[in-house]
Amino acid sequence: MTELDQSASVIEVRNPATGERSGTVPITTPDDVAAAVRELRLYQPEWEAIGPDGRKQWLLKLQDWLIDNTEHLADVLQSETAKPRADALIDPAFAVDLLGYYARRAAKFLADDHPSPHTPLARLKTLTVAYRPYQVVGVITPWNFPLAMPAIDVFPALAAGAAVILKPSEVTPLSAVELARGWAEIGAPPVFKVVTGAGETGAAVVGNADYVQFTGSTATGRKIAATCAQRMVPYSLELGGKDPALVLADADIDRAAHGIAFGGMFNAGQVCISVERVYVEAPVYDEFVTKLTAAVAALRQGADGRESKHDVGALANENQVRIVQRHVDEAVAAGARVTTGGKRTGVGTFFEPTVLVDVDHSMACVAEETFGPTLPVMKVADEAEAIRLANDSIYGLSASVWTGDKARGERVARQLNAGAVNVNDVFSNLFNFAMPMGGWGQSGVGARWGGAAGIRKYCRAQALTRPKLPTMAKELFWYPYDMNKLLVMLGAMRAAGARGLRRVDLPAVLRLKNGG
């Protein structure tokens, strides 16, 4: 929770569960952002020059720092988000895992490629693709995972050899500031800076960086894409989601109920890949609703200290509470029924974990991103209807399929319009860095991770050719044109690339000399 006075020079951060002040950060002006980018440009060439192995040493030192400071980082996280202790510990653990993955694999992922020539003529050259980092990568992250979200984008960009400027959400900036402190404490080169502020600060990052990675709302993503297109600067966007879960009649209903409860309520539903709508085949609908309702009703909600006592924490701010309450109230007014939850707890920004039934696609709780602790459940006649309704959305970030037949699960998954689909699980793609994490439709452009692609995205591919054999004064097709030499070259190209008799039709080639 944040108090932002546009005339002030600082942002005051408060705990959304208690309203207590957690800290302050300065508002970085656009001029200061531009100056920070200029400074990063000065140090980036040396960072690139030490190579992946040199950078690995600094990244692994930062990994050590993250491990040694895990408890403190979890404290800071809780102070600005009111997460349960268990959730707060996930952020630094995730960051440690991701950092190790890219630090140790960067040299392999960034090694030159040597593609095989496509024709005998091309074999006269040595072909190389080199990967050169963008000088300054701008990263803008949301408030739901204040440490893990920066880690997701900052670490591979640094491993690629880029300098990074990070603008965390003004709602939860404290964890990102701690990350920058850690980078400074290990004595690392000054190629990572954090700037804090709201929209004006973020716009300055977009206006100055050489590559922009943004995670947040679809509306803001569109504006960033327009700015980047105007500047001819590449970008990657992870935007909204409305992830469906399909529960088929042959599913393990106990696992499906527990998995979907976790997928919908983790971090109070404030996850880009939260389960936000559920489609259940009619034969198991009543059993599933009963078991899901019991699983959600049993969740422990409240504010943790260092001791883990609760499962679900508070929402990030009052605006998020209003969205969740509106979705629930409008659904109930239109005929939906609440089986558990449905209202604020009366403390801070806590909203009860909620299950809604008798919903349809005309309701905001099904059509719009909620980003809160609600699970709307719909009965469907069969698999085909479940697939059709799951695909009836502007979003396509991820989905899950629940079935006792894994082959059926994959077959259904391949019919869903989503960047990732988990069979009999939730979030598992998020913890497999070799897989791309990207959205379809209005859920984004580009992808995070995906093995080598996750680090090469922060690089420009450079094609290099050099001759294998001693060179002549002139190539066959250089000026002045000589039709005889040109026909030799065209004949060789046809022989190598055409099919059937056309490969060896010399009369047809010779006719070209005289215009047929």
Side-chain angles (χ1 to χ4, degrees):
M1 183 181 292
T2 302
E3 292 186 4
L4 180 60
D5 181 349
Q6 295 296 339
S7 65
S9 59
V10 299
I11 295 171
E12 189 170 77
V13 182
R14 293 184 177 273
N15 186 314
T18 65
E20 295 177 355
R21 175 173 155 169
S22 302
T24 62
V25 295
I27 295 176
T28 309
T29 67
D31 287 344
D32 287 341
V33 171
V37 171
R38 288 194 297 270
E39 184 176 349
L40 288 169
R41 292 193 198 284
L42 296 176
Y43 292 102
Q44 184 276 333
E46 185 177 351
W47 179 245
E48 179 183 355
I50 65 175
D53 289 331
R55 295 191 291 271
K56 178 174 75 171
Q57 301 310 312
W58 288 113
L59 295 173
L60 292 181
K61 286 182 181 179
L62 181 62
Q63 185 188 56
D64 293 341
W65 184 90
L66 288 168
I67 293 170
D68 295 343
N69 289 272
T70 291
E71 285 196 319
H72 171 68
L73 292 169
D75 292 343
V76 173
L77 253 157
Q78 285 180 277
S79 76
E80 61 182 344
T81 65
K83 288 177 184 273
R85 187 65 175 183
D87 285 1
L89 289 168
I90 289 174
D91 268 55
F94 184 91
V96 165
D97 192 18
L98 184 74
L99 186 50
Y101 176 81
Y102 275 117
R104 293 185 174 90
R105 290 169 176 78
K108 175 184 175 182
F109 290 161
L110 295 171
D112 290 350
D113 281 339
H114 298 285
S116 177
H118 74 289
T119 71
L121 288 176
R123 293 187 183 280
L124 299 176
K125 304 289 184 182
T126 296
L127 309 182
T128 301
V129 179
Y131 297 94
R132 300 275 306 281
Y134 293 99
Q135 268 208 293
V136 179
V137 170
V139 175
I140 301 175
T141 55
W143 39 257
N144 54 341
F145 294 95
L147 183 62
M149 281 290 174
I152 286 171
D153 303 314
V154 170
F155 294 166
L158 287 172
V164 179
I165 185 165
L166 166 65
K167 206 295 282 187
S169 168
E170 64 273 20
V171 178
T172 55
L174 302 180
S175 295
V177 171
E178 289 298 303
L179 185 61
R181 181 176 69 84
W183 186 253
E185 282 190 1
I186 64 172
V191 290
F192 172 46
K193 288 182 178 293
V194 171
V195 293
T196 48
E200 189 177 53
T201 306
V205 170
V206 175
N208 285 276
D210 304 312
Y211 184 105
V212 176
Q213 167 63 53
F214 169 77
T215 304
S217 72
T218 298
T220 302
R222 284 197 186 97
K223 295 177 183 177
I224 289 173
T227 300
C228 288
Q230 185 68 31
R231 294 186 58 221
M232 296 295 288
V233 168
Y235 58 90
S236 179
L237 309 173
E238 185 177 299
L239 307 176
K242 193 70 180 176
D243 292 4
L246 286 66
V247 182
L248 305 181
D250 62 353
D252 179 336
I253 300 303
D254 288 312
R255 178 173 176 82
H258 289 298
I260 291 171
F262 178 68
M265 299 301 158
F266 175 62
N267 200 41
Q270 300 170 121
V271 187
C272 57
I273 54 174
S274 288
V275 177
E276 289 216 4
R277 50 199 173 108
V278 187
Y279 303 98
V280 187
E281 283 195 288
V284 295
Y285 175 81
D286 290 337
E287 179 187 0
F288 174 80
V289 168
T290 298
K291 291 182 174 180
L292 177 67
T293 300
V296 171
L299 294 175
R300 303 165 298 171
Q301 187 173 39
D304 275 351
R306 278 196 162 185
E307 186 179 349
S308 178
K309 295 181 178 180
H310 300 98
D311 305 307
V312 179
L315 293 172
N317 50 46
E318 282 293 333
N319 184 59
Q320 229 23 62
V321 178
R322 285 191 291 270
I323 293 171
V324 175
Q325 189 71 69
R326 175 175 65 83
H327 283 191
V328 172
D329 291 347
E330 289 180 359
V332 170
R337 180 166 55 89
V338 175
T339 64
T340 186
K343 61 184 184 302
R344 300 183 70 150
T345 68
V347 177
T349 56
F350 288 99
F351 195 97
E352 294 175 342
T354 300
V355 176
L356 291 163
V357 296
D358 301 329
V359 298
D360 60 52
H361 276 227
S362 69
M363 299 177 182
C365 68
V366 177
E368 299 176 12
E369 183 176 35
T370 305
F371 224 62
T374 64
L375 281 167
V377 185
M378 288 182 61
K379 182 192 296 185
V380 296
D382 52 27
E383 172 190 302
E385 185 180 19
I387 294 169
R388 178 178 63 80
L389 291 173
N391 287 337
D392 182 21
S393 175
I394 61 173
Y395 298 112
L397 197 53
S398 76
S400 61
V401 180
W402 303 82
T403 173
D405 183 338
K406 287 182 283 188
R408 182 190 188 194
E410 183 168 341
R411 175 176 57 77
V412 171
R414 289 174 180 269
Q415 298 177 68
L416 298 178
N417 297 331
V421 184
N422 298 301
V423 177
N424 293 335
D425 206 347
V426 291
F427 303 159
S428 59
N429 63 295
L430 186 67
F431 295 93
N432 285 282
F433 309 136
M435 302 278 283
M437 169 91 178
W440 297 5
Q442 295 190 28
S443 285
V445 175
R448 286 164 156 169
W449 314 328
I455 193 170
R456 287 180 178 178
K457 67 182 276 186
Y458 296 115
C459 298
R460 297 155 293 178
Q462 185 176 43
L464 306 171
T465 72
R466 67 178 190 273
K468 286 184 178 179
L469 301 176
T471 55
M472 302 177 290
K474 291 195 298 183
E475 295 291 331
L476 287 177
F477 49 90
W478 288 1
Y479 297 136
Y481 284 138
D482 182 316
M483 284 300 294
N484 291 323
K485 293 179 180 179
L486 179 63
L487 292 180
V488 170
M489 185 185 72
L490 294 179
M493 292 174 67
R494 286 194 184 185
R499 62 177 183 168
L501 293 177
R502 289 179 177 83
R503 299 179 63 184
V504 293
D505 191 352
L506 294 179
V509 174
L510 293 173
R511 284 196 297 271
L512 296 173
K513 182 176 181 178
N514 299 313

